[in-house]
């Protein structure tokens, strides 16, 4: 026995390894052999060598016939078992029809909603990322004092940057002359109308090289009259001919020679363009914004250049110009990364319709909420039906199922649910996407934008969904089979608390979405129904037969043609009056001027821009804009015809320093001519109220109305608008319009708008947002309603006996319903209590983006509370009611 | 022969199990083989061959009583089954037949 004490022990790690991998049947025998050999070689060769030998032997034992089979002890393959699992899963699916249906519907709707949001968000986040040098391109924007900021600014800015800042690699500017229906372009003998003509400086394609398809970025716009057109346009104009060297005729704007081809500008670019023509800016008026036309300035920077430093230097260097141009004194400048423009730039006169970043992030949050709701729904349901599976599981355990067996069985059941849910989601997406495209919720394209985001989203969806499937298995396989007969398994604290938390989460998410919908609709209504101080109901507008863009190639219509048209139109009994104007309510005023209008000529320049509209006598009548003092224009008064009179908005006279509208009447004001030396002198003849030309989303400028009539020969106001007595006269009036038009201008196309619809288009973004919110809120409500339904169904099945006994003892159905639904109503109360502050916080963030926002009142939360309460009562109440109404003997019989 | 396929090593192991009748366990088989064949036999190779023979049904294993000499680990004794015996016999018969059919001339050593 003494020998035992100085026994040398074999190395621990190899021994443990051996015990781990060795087949259990062989283990004791082989371990004995190893130890016997080890002890022997210790005596013969010493302990060190024996240890080495031992390790080596263990390693050599690591071979297929010795290693234990993975998972179990007996067999290496489980085909039979899997087959069994899937068969059981199929049976299970049909046995618990309600459970399967609810899980599939919940997951399917959740996946579909998440996918739609993912696609939309990846589109919105993809803007301007196709530029290869996207991280180098910046737009320079100007904040002139307290004025509304326009995305375009001074003509001289790019030249100034080029000559003063060597760290700027390339700089370019573009300008777009605004017009609603495009420019007329003559190619050979054909005339086309092009919406998107950009006037760019010669280095444009050096800043945006990705846009150029063929040509040298540095050379392509070097000619005095070079132009670049997109591929699509080249095909449209010249078919298969070589477009290079062809001529585009813009009428009075001149002829251009095509010197390069650009790619078709993708949908996810912040500016649209079909034609780029070279615009060599003169340095005249370099630091003034003439006629409201701003130049958009873009630069490229090396990544090493610090943006804030450059901004500070730029502001400083512009300050140095203030001796010559005093109005620059308050200007400050910022650089916007091109990838930030679409979501984080909300300036006036943006080149495209930008979105609010916060909207997109809200959608991301909603997407996750819905996905998590769907997942939680499944967890909730599957934990709540434990009780019906627990006996089955304990028997399986007793027979010898291991943990992994149970998990794989439950997972194969889940895989059926998952596959069916995925099929449902695909069907939903396919059938719903035409409607969603129409509502603007998802982009109208099959392309995937931002593969990185898309892939990450899908990865999360798949991995999350698989993990969710493991959870019920893990939970079920952990329970002790002996606790089942005692009947206390389904009442474990953990399960109940978890289920309550998940349910509270679902209620909260649905509640927030409903509140969101209510607030969105309220706000939309609020800005739509703001007192516009004018009336666009029943106003129809017609395009001038020779529009501004046609003027390039055609002579304008004459005054007598117009008067002829007007006389014929108002002859119809339904048409009250007809007027002309340069702009229509609902679309921004095209012309605005800064620092031109003064009461005292010697006063310093004033920076505030004024909108200028050209109207005629009856404009205020047709649009029912109240005149606060004075009169409208009249063609009978010579002073009006000579441009000696002016009519201003109330905000304009307030800005000019008059005390009241009445005070301003008959006062003189002056405006500097463009050359800066001559003055126009006006007498104020009327003051009109600040009507909402565009919605309250944007800050309005003070407005000047001038009489449109230079000479008798030409009549160039863009729109003729007239009022109809009542809505049901519309058809008659339009028939009359068509007839009159054919009589007066038979060779021109008639284009007309309903001004109220035009005005409503401003709310497009809000409408899309509210329809998508409604869509997702409905999905969320469906999911949480289904979840609650499932949970109560199983809860009641669990308590059938209790309910029956209560009934036998004399409980009424109503009191039973009250008893059981009390718990869910309590959970709803908790959810509302937690969710309300979150809702208030989020809505305030969103509402603060509006100039004119609604205030949050408790009333806004009432619909959500009522709706949620109804859902809880209906989905839990029905199954409780059913149980409470069933015959107690049926339920108690098997005892 | 198709029914009782035995590798060379397997055959030797099987024969040794037979030789050590009643006392065939891992270490004794190893030692016997090393002594008789004058070659090193690793525990891994031996055990996997034993496992294979066992799976084929040529031998059966049985745990012996626990003793103190192997730090309490039992010995795993092997013995040949009748199936194993047939395998040895048939292998041997095939060998003998092959040997017998070699023409005598083939064994004449020729010096060229």
């Amino acid at each position: 026995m003494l020998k035992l004490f100085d026994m040398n022990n074999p190395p621990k790690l190899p021994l443990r390894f051996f015990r781990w991998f060795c087949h259990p049947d062989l283990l004791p025998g082989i371990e004995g052999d190893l130890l016997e050999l080890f002890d022997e070689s210790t005596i013969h060769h010493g302990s060190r060598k024996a240890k080495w030998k031992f390790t080596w032997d263990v390693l050599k034992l690591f071979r297929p016939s010795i290693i234990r089979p993975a998972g179990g002890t007996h067999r290496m393959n489980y085909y039979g078992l899997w087959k069994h699992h899937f068969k059981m899963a199929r049976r299970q699916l049909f046995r618990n029809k309600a459970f399967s249906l609810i899980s599939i519907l919940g997951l399917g709707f959740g996946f579909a909603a998440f996918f739609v949001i993912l696609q939309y968000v990846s589109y919105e986040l993809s803007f301007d990322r196709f530029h290869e040098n996207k991280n180098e391109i910046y737009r320079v924007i100007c904040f002139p004092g307290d004025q509304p900021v326009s995305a375009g600014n001074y003509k001289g800015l790019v030249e100034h940057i080029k000559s003063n800042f060597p760290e700027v690699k390339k700089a370019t500017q573009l300008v777009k002359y605004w017009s609603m229906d495009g420019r007329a372009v003559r190619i050979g003998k054909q005339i086309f109308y092009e919406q998107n003509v950009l006037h760019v400086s010669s280095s444009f394609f050096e800043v945006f090289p990705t846009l150029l398809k063929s040509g040298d970025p540095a050379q392509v716009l070097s000619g005095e009259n070079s132009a670049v057109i997109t591929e699509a346009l080249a095909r449209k104009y010249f078919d298969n001919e070589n477009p290079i060297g062809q001529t585009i005729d813009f009428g009075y704007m001149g002829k251009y020679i095509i010197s390069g081809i650009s790619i078709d500008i993708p949908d996810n670019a912040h500016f649209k363009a079909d034609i780029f023509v070279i615009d060599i800016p003169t340095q005249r008026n370099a630091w003034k914004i003439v006629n409201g036309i701003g130049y958009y300035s873009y630069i490229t920077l090396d990544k090493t250049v610090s943006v804030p430093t450059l901004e500070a230097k730029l502001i400083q260097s512009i300050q140095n110009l203030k001796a010559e141009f005093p109005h620059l004194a308050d200007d400050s400048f910022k650089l916007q990364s091109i990838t930030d423009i679409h979501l984080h730039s909300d300036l006036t006169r943006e080149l495209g319709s930008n979105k609010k970043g916060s909207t997109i992030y809200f959608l991301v949050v909603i997407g996750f909420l819905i996905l998590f709701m769907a997942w939680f729904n499944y967890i909730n349901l599957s934990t709540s039906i434990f009780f019906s599976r627990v006996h089955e599981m304990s028997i399986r355990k007793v027979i010898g199922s291991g943990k992994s067996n149970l998990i794989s069985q439950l997972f194969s059941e889940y895989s059926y649910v998952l596959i069916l849910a995925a099929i449902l989601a695909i069907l939903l997406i396919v059938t719903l996407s035409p409607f969603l495209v129409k509502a603007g919720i998802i982009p109208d394209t099959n392309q995937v934008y931002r593969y990185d985001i898309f892939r990450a989203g899908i990865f999360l969806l798949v991995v999350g969904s698989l993990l969710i499937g493991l959870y019920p298995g893990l939970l079920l396989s952990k329970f002790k089979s002996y606790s089942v007969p005692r009947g206390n398994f389904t009442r474990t604290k953990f399960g109940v608390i978890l289920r309550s938390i998940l349910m509270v989460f679902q209620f909260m998410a649905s509640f927030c979405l409903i509140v969101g919908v209510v607030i969105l609709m309220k706000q939309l209504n609020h800005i739509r129904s703001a007192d516009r101080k004018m009336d666009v109901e029943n106003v129809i507008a017609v395009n001038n037969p020779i529009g501004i863009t046609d003027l390039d190639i055609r002579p304008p219509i004459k005054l007598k043609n117009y008067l002829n048209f007007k006389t014929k139109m108002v002859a119809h009994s339904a048409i009250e009056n007809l007027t002309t104007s340069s702009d229509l309510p609902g679309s921004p005023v095209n012309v605005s001027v800064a620092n031109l209008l003064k009461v005292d000529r010697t006063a310093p320049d004033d920076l505030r821009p004024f909108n200028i509209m050209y109207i005629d006598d009856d404009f205020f009548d047709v649009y029912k804009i109240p005149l606060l003092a004075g009169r409208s224009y009249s063609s009978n008064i010579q002073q009006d015809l000579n441009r000696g009179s002016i009519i201003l908005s109330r905000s304009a006279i307030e800005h000019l320093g008059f005390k009241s509208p009445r005070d301003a009447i008959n006062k003189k004001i002056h405006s500097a001519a463009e050359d800066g030396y001559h003055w126009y002198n006006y007498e104020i003849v009327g003051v009109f109220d600040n009507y909402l030309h565009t919605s309250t989303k944007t800050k309005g400028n003070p407005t000047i109305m001038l009489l449109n009539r230079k000479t008798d020969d030409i009549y160039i106001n863009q729109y003729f608008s007239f009022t109809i007595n009542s809505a049901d006269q519309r058809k008659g009036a339009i028939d009359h319009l068509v007839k009159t038009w054919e009589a007066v201008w038979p060779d021109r196309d008639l284009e007309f708008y309903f001004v109220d619809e035009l005005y409503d288009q401003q709310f497009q973004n809000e409408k899309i947002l509210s329809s998508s919110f409604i869509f997702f809120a409905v999905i969320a409500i469906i999911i949480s309603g289904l979840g609650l339904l499932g949970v109560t169904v199983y809860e009641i099945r669990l308590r059938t006996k209790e309910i029956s006994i209560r009934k036998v003892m004399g409980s009424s159905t109503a009191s039973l319903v009250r008893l059981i639904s009390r718990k869910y109503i309590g959970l709803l109360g908790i959810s509302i209590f937690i969710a309300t502050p979150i809702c208030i916080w989020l809505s305030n963030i969103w509402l603060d983006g509006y100039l004119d926002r609604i205030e949050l009142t408790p009333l806004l939360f009432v619909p959500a509370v009522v709706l949620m309460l109804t859902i809880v009562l209906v989905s839990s109440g029905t199954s409780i009611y059913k149980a409470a109404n069933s015959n107690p003997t049926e339920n108690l019989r098997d005892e | 022969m198709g029914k009782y396929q035995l590798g060379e090593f397997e055959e030797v192991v099987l024969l040794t199990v037979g030789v050590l009748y009643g006392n065939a366990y891992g270490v004794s088989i190893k030692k016997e083989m090393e002594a008789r064949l004058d070659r090193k036999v690793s525990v891994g190779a031996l055990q996997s061959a034993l496992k294979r023979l066992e799976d084929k049904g040529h031998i059966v294993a049985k745990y012996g009583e626990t003793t103190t000499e192997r730090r309490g680990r039992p010995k795993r004794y092997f013995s040949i089954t009748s199936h194993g015996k047939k395998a040895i016999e048939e292998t041997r018969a095939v060998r003998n037949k092959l040997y017998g059919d070699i023409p005598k001339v083939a064994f004449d050593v020729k010096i060229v």
Side-chain angles (χ1 to χ4, degrees):
Chain A
M1 285 310 283
L2 196 71
K3 213 179 159 196
L4 269 176
F5 287 99
D6 52 292
M7 220 161 34
N8 182 24
N9 280 324
K12 274 208 182 87
L13 205 65
L15 186 62
R16 269 176 64 188
F17 174 62
F18 172 73
R19 282 178 183 162
W20 174 73
F21 77 74
C22 185
H23 195 295
D25 287 353
L26 309 176
L27 180 65
I30 301 181
E31 194 181 318
D33 289 355
L34 283 172
L35 290 172
E36 191 181 333
L37 289 169
F38 174 75
D39 287 341
E40 212 168 278
S41 79
T42 312
I43 295 164
H44 291 303
H45 307 289
S47 108
R48 252 176 75 91
K49 196 146 185 223
K51 280 180 181 173
W52 273 114
K53 203 167 157 335
F54 183 86
T55 311
W56 188 231
D57 279 342
V58 166
L59 287 179
K60 281 206 279 194
L61 273 165
F62 190 71
R63 48 178 86 204
S65 49
I66 312 285
I67 295 173
R68 72 162 79 214
T73 48
H74 296 288
R75 296 181 53 177
M76 285 293 276
N77 87 56
Y78 286 99
Y79 301 130
L81 195 60
W82 279 108
K83 214 171 139 190
H84 164 82
H85 281 346
F86 280 105
K87 184 186 260 177
M88 293 306 289
R90 212 162 41 237
R91 287 180 183 167
Q92 202 62 42
L93 196 71
F94 288 105
R95 185 175 308 142
N96 283 319
K97 285 196 190 70
F99 165 74
S100 316
L101 198 67
I102 290 172
S103 317
I104 291 167
L105 285 178
L107 286 173
F109 273 102
F111 294 166
F114 183 76
F115 184 87
V116 166
I117 291 179
L118 184 65
Q119 196 187 7
Y120 180 72
V121 167
S122 86
Y123 168 69
E124 292 292 346
L125 292 177
S126 74
F127 267 69
D128 293 304
R129 283 176 186 271
F130 60 89
H131 293 289
E132 273 155 28
N133 54 345
K134 58 176 185 279
N135 295 326
E136 296 183 355
I137 309 176
Y138 291 87
R139 184 169 76 174
V140 188
I141 50 169
C142 169
F143 294 90
D146 60 344
Q147 289 170 50
V149 181
S150 159
N153 46 51
Y154 304 112
K155 190 165 34 166
L157 186 61
V158 160
E159 209 46 53
H160 178 83
I161 290 174
K162 266 186 189 168
S163 48
N164 290 299
F165 297 95
E167 61 265 50
V168 173
K169 281 207 291 193
K170 298 285 172 201
T172 189
Q173 63 194 13
L174 65 89
V175 59
K176 189 174 178 182
Y177 298 105
W178 297 86
S179 80
M180 260 176 97
D181 22 61
R183 308 195 74 88
V185 176
R186 205 199 303 260
I187 308 287
K189 287 201 172 102
Q190 274 182 292
I191 293 173
F192 299 95
Y193 291 88
E194 291 310 333
Q195 297 270 4
N196 302 308
V197 181
L198 291 188
H199 297 246
V200 301
S201 67
S202 58
S203 44
F204 183 79
F205 288 106
E206 292 180 275
V207 175
F208 301 104
T210 313
L211 293 181
L212 195 63
K213 183 163 172 84
S214 68
D216 173 9
Q219 295 298 319
V220 74
L221 287 174
S222 56
E224 228 171 82
N225 52 0
S226 345
V228 170
I229 62 174
T230 58
E231 276 179 279
L233 211 59
R235 233 171 294 124
K236 178 172 145 196
Y237 288 168
F238 309 111
D239 273 332
N240 296 322
E241 277 178 71
N242 183 10
I244 308 284
Q246 304 270 13
T247 305
I248 313 177
D249 186 356
F250 279 101
Y252 89 101
M253 238 182 65
K255 290 190 171 70
Y256 289 89
I257 310 288
I258 298 171
S259 56
I261 301 295
S262 79
I263 60 167
D264 295 334
I265 308 298
D267 288 340
N268 54 353
H270 79 280
F271 57 77
K272 306 273 168 276
D274 294 315
I275 305 182
F276 303 90
V277 297
I278 179 82
D279 183 74
I280 299 165
T282 56
Q283 288 307 303
R284 195 166 147 257
N285 281 331
W287 297 102
K288 267 186 182 166
I289 295 181
V290 180
N291 284 350
I293 294 168
Y295 284 74
Y296 299 81
S297 317
Y298 296 87
I299 59 173
T300 53
L301 290 179
D302 259 330
K303 278 172 206 128
T304 50
V305 177
S306 144
V307 171
T309 321
L310 186 64
E311 280 170 347
K313 274 161 77 182
L314 182 60
I315 294 167
Q316 191 53 50
S317 79
I318 299 281
Q319 289 281 309
N320 296 340
L321 297 173
K322 75 178 170 203
E324 204 182 336
F325 305 101
H327 65 278
L328 296 176
D330 295 334
D331 285 3
S332 109
F333 291 86
K334 274 220 161 71
L335 301 185
Q336 270 177 321
S337 168
I338 188 168
T339 49
D340 284 346
I341 291 177
H342 180 67
L343 291 181
H344 302 290
S345 178
D346 191 16
L347 309 175
T348 56
R349 299 201 181 243
E350 289 281 1
L351 285 163
S353 63
N354 290 355
K355 292 272 163 49
K356 277 203 186 94
S358 60
T359 311
I360 302 304
Y361 301 134
F362 273 135
L363 270 179
V364 173
V365 172
I366 292 173
F368 278 109
L369 278 184
I370 290 181
L371 187 62
F372 277 95
M373 277 174 78
W375 285 343
F376 289 174
N377 213 6
Y378 180 78
I379 292 186
N380 243 348
L381 282 171
S382 50
T383 50
S384 67
I385 71 159
F386 268 180
F387 96 99
S388 65
R389 305 297 302 279
V390 144
H391 287 102
E392 176 200 338
M393 290 298 148
S394 359
I395 290 167
R396 280 178 188 280
K397 269 200 150 171
V398 169
I399 291 173
S401 270
K403 202 172 174 177
S404 55
N405 263 329
L406 290 181
I407 291 175
S408 61
Q409 195 212 330
L410 286 166
F411 193 79
S412 53
E413 281 172 23
Y414 173 67
S415 68
Y416 269 102
V417 171
L418 195 60
I419 288 166
L420 288 173
I423 292 171
L424 175 69
I426 291 167
L427 285 178
L428 278 174
I429 292 165
V430 169
T431 50
L432 287 178
S433 59
F435 301 102
L436 297 176
V437 166
K438 220 167 144 196
I441 296 170
I442 52 176
D444 182 13
T445 171
N446 295 323
Q447 206 182 327
V448 173
Y449 300 89
R450 289 301 292 277
Y451 268 104
D452 50 347
I453 292 177
F454 196 74
R455 230 179 284 139
I458 296 294
F459 177 76
L460 189 83
L461 182 68
V462 171
V463 170
S465 303
L466 293 180
L467 286 179
I468 291 306
L470 288 178
Y471 177 79
L474 280 176
L475 210 59
L476 251 187
S477 59
K478 241 171 41 195
F479 74 95
K480 307 272 185 293
S481 21
Y482 57 75
S483 71
V484 177
R486 295 197 304 207
N488 56 4
F489 172 68
T490 44
R491 303 218 162 264
T492 56
K493 251 192 189 141
F494 177 71
V496 171
I497 289 173
L498 179 82
R499 236 176 302 156
S500 305
I501 289 173
L502 296 185
M503 212 177 279
V504 164
F505 169 83
Q506 290 198 337
F507 287 161
M508 275 169 62
S510 315
F511 181 78
C512 283
L513 282 171
I514 301 170
V515 170
V517 168
V518 172
I519 289 176
L520 239 157
M521 308 262 271
K522 244 329 195 264
Q523 172 69 17
L524 179 59
N525 236 340
H526 178 72
I527 52 174
R528 275 165 93 174
S529 64
D531 182 10
R532 298 171 188 169
K533 301 208 170 77
M534 78 165 166
D535 194 0
V536 290
E537 285 296 305
N538 296 323
V539 180
I540 293 178
V542 185
N543 270 354
N544 188 323
I546 308 292
I548 304 243
T549 55
D550 291 306
L551 285 177
D552 298 349
I553 49 175
R554 285 197 185 85
I557 63 164
K558 302 211 159 119
L559 177 61
K560 62 170 195 261
N561 300 133
Y562 165 66
L563 290 176
N564 179 18
F565 175 71
K566 179 168 178 173
T567 320
K568 282 184 174 158
M569 284 298 288
V570 293
H572 192 270
S573 62
I575 296 169
E576 280 180 357
N577 208 343
L578 196 143
T579 187
T580 69
S581 58
S582 57
D583 300 276
L584 287 179
S587 56
V589 177
N590 274 328
V591 179
S592 64
V593 287
N595 67 32
L596 288 177
L597 218 54
K598 291 174 190 177
V599 180
D600 177 6
R601 283 191 203 177
T602 55
D605 277 356
D606 178 13
L607 292 166
R608 185 81 203 223
F610 284 71
N611 287 343
I612 301 182
M613 272 174 69
Y614 294 88
I615 57 167
D616 78 354
D617 311 6
D618 298 316
F619 182 78
F620 296 108
D621 283 348
V622 167
Y623 285 101
K624 302 194 176 65
I625 298 168
L627 280 167
L628 299 174
R631 58 176 176 85
S632 176
Y633 291 116
S634 164
S635 321
N636 304 324
I637 298 171
Q638 200 53 40
Q639 185 192 334
D640 291 3
L641 292 177
N642 293 343
R643 284 271 167 92
S645 309
I646 194 168
I647 298 180
L648 301 169
S649 69
R650 185 163 73 179
S651 54
I653 62 147
E654 274 162 9
H655 186 76
L656 291 168
F658 294 105
K659 275 189 225 87
S660 71
R662 203 169 296 282
D663 182 43
I665 297 296
N666 297 334
K667 296 278 161 49
K668 296 267 185 241
I669 55 167
H670 314 279
S671 93
E674 261 183 43
D675 59 16
Y677 299 106
H678 294 86
W679 292 89
Y680 299 119
N681 303 310
Y682 300 102
E683 182 189 341
I684 301 172
V685 296
V687 176
F688 59 92
D689 210 347
N690 297 332
Y691 76 99
L692 290 177
H693 186 84
T694 51
S695 78
T696 50
K697 280 201 292 179
T698 47
K699 239 188 243 167
N701 286 332
T703 305
I704 306 168
M705 300 275 188
L706 289 174
L707 184 64
N708 166 61
R709 187 171 293 177
K710 281 183 184 150
T711 68
D712 282 352
D713 282 343
I714 58 167
Y715 207 80
I716 59 168
N717 253 2
Q718 180 65 31
Y719 305 103
F720 307 158
S721 17
F722 57 88
T723 336
I724 308 165
N725 288 338
S726 63
D728 37 301
Q729 301 263 28
R730 265 192 184 192
K731 201 178 169 308
I734 289 168
D735 288 344
H736 180 67
L737 167 67
V738 173
K739 241 185 287 159
T740 317
W741 188 272
E742 271 168 13
V744 184
W745 293 292
D747 56 332
R748 302 294 299 163
D749 290 339
L750 169 66
E751 289 169 55
F752 65 93
Y753 322 89
F754 297 104
V755 182
D756 49 348
E757 285 172 14
L758 191 73
Y759 201 88
D760 234 30
Q761 274 177 14
Q762 300 174 76
F763 309 111
Q764 201 58 28
N765 266 346
E766 280 74 17
K767 280 185 185 166
I768 288 173
L769 194 63
S770 65
S771 54
S772 58
F773 242 82
I774 292 171
F775 175 74
F776 296 124
V778 166
I779 285 188
I781 292 166
I782 290 175
I783 293 174
S784 61
L786 286 175
L788 185 60
L789 186 70
V791 170
T792 41
V793 163
Y794 285 97
E795 162 113 21
I796 282 158
R797 209 188 270 178
L798 200 68
R799 294 174 71 174
T800 318
K801 277 169 197 152
E802 179 199 331
I803 290 171
S804 304
I805 292 169
R806 280 178 189 279
K807 241 194 129 181
V808 170
M809 306 298 267
S811 273
S812 66
T813 306
S815 69
L816 281 173
V817 171
R818 219 177 306 129
L819 177 80
I820 296 174
S821 60
R822 194 166 56 195
K823 175 180 154 196
Y824 299 108
I825 291 171
L827 286 181
L828 178 65
I830 295 170
S831 320
I832 292 174
F833 184 73
I834 304 172
T836 307
I838 300 175
C839 286
I840 293 175
W841 178 61
L842 288 175
S843 335
N844 273 330
I845 291 178
W846 181 72
L847 286 171
D848 280 342
Y850 288 88
L851 287 174
D852 183 19
R853 54 162 281 185
I854 52 166
E855 286 311 315
L856 296 177
T857 58
L859 220 58
L860 291 172
F861 293 81
V862 171
V865 174
V866 172
L867 194 57
M868 288 306 292
L869 205 60
T870 318
I871 289 166
V872 169
L873 284 179
V874 169
S875 57
S876 66
T878 44
S879 41
I880 300 169
Y881 183 80
K882 218 172 106 192
N885 256 0
S886 62
N887 187 351
T889 47
E890 296 276 323
N891 302 327
L892 294 173
R893 199 165 44 188
D894 63 326
E895 281 290 290
Chain B
M1 159 128 199
K3 213 173 151 194
Y4 309 101
Q5 219 162 15
L6 282 178
E8 186 266 346
F9 190 68
E10 276 171 20
E11 192 188 343
V12 177
V13 173
L14 187 56
L15 290 167
T16 316
V17 169
V19 168
L20 291 170
Y21 174 76
N23 189 29
Y25 71 97
V27 176
S28 69
I29 299 170
K30 182 170 138 62
K31 281 187 179 155
E32 188 69 26
M33 280 172 73
E34 280 171 351
R36 283 179 185 256
L37 303 177
D38 193 23
R39 76 181 200 196
K40 280 269 164 207
V41 175
S42 81
V43 184
L46 175 65
Q47 289 291 347
S48 76
L50 285 168
K51 180 84 179 18
R52 278 200 302 278
L53 288 171
E54 199 186 343
D55 288 348
K56 285 178 188 166
H58 298 321
I59 53 176
V60 285
K62 183 183 94 192
Y63 274 109
E65 71 295 349
T66 311
T67 58
T68 52
E69 66 178 293
R70 279 153 62 94
R71 307 197 185 188
R73 269 70 169 185
K75 288 175 183 166
R76 196 156 187 260
Y77 290 109
F78 296 93
S79 54
I80 299 186
T81 61
S82 60
H83 189 76
K85 188 171 162 254
K86 272 188 203 148
I88 295 172
E89 279 165 0
E90 187 165 324
T91 314
R92 195 175 173 196
V94 169
R95 289 253 171 107
N96 287 345
K97 181 144 191 344
L98 280 172
Y99 185 81
D101 288 354
I102 297 173
K104 285 265 180 302
V105 202
F107 290 125
D108 287 350
V109 181
K110 288 179 184 151
I111 297 158
V112 183

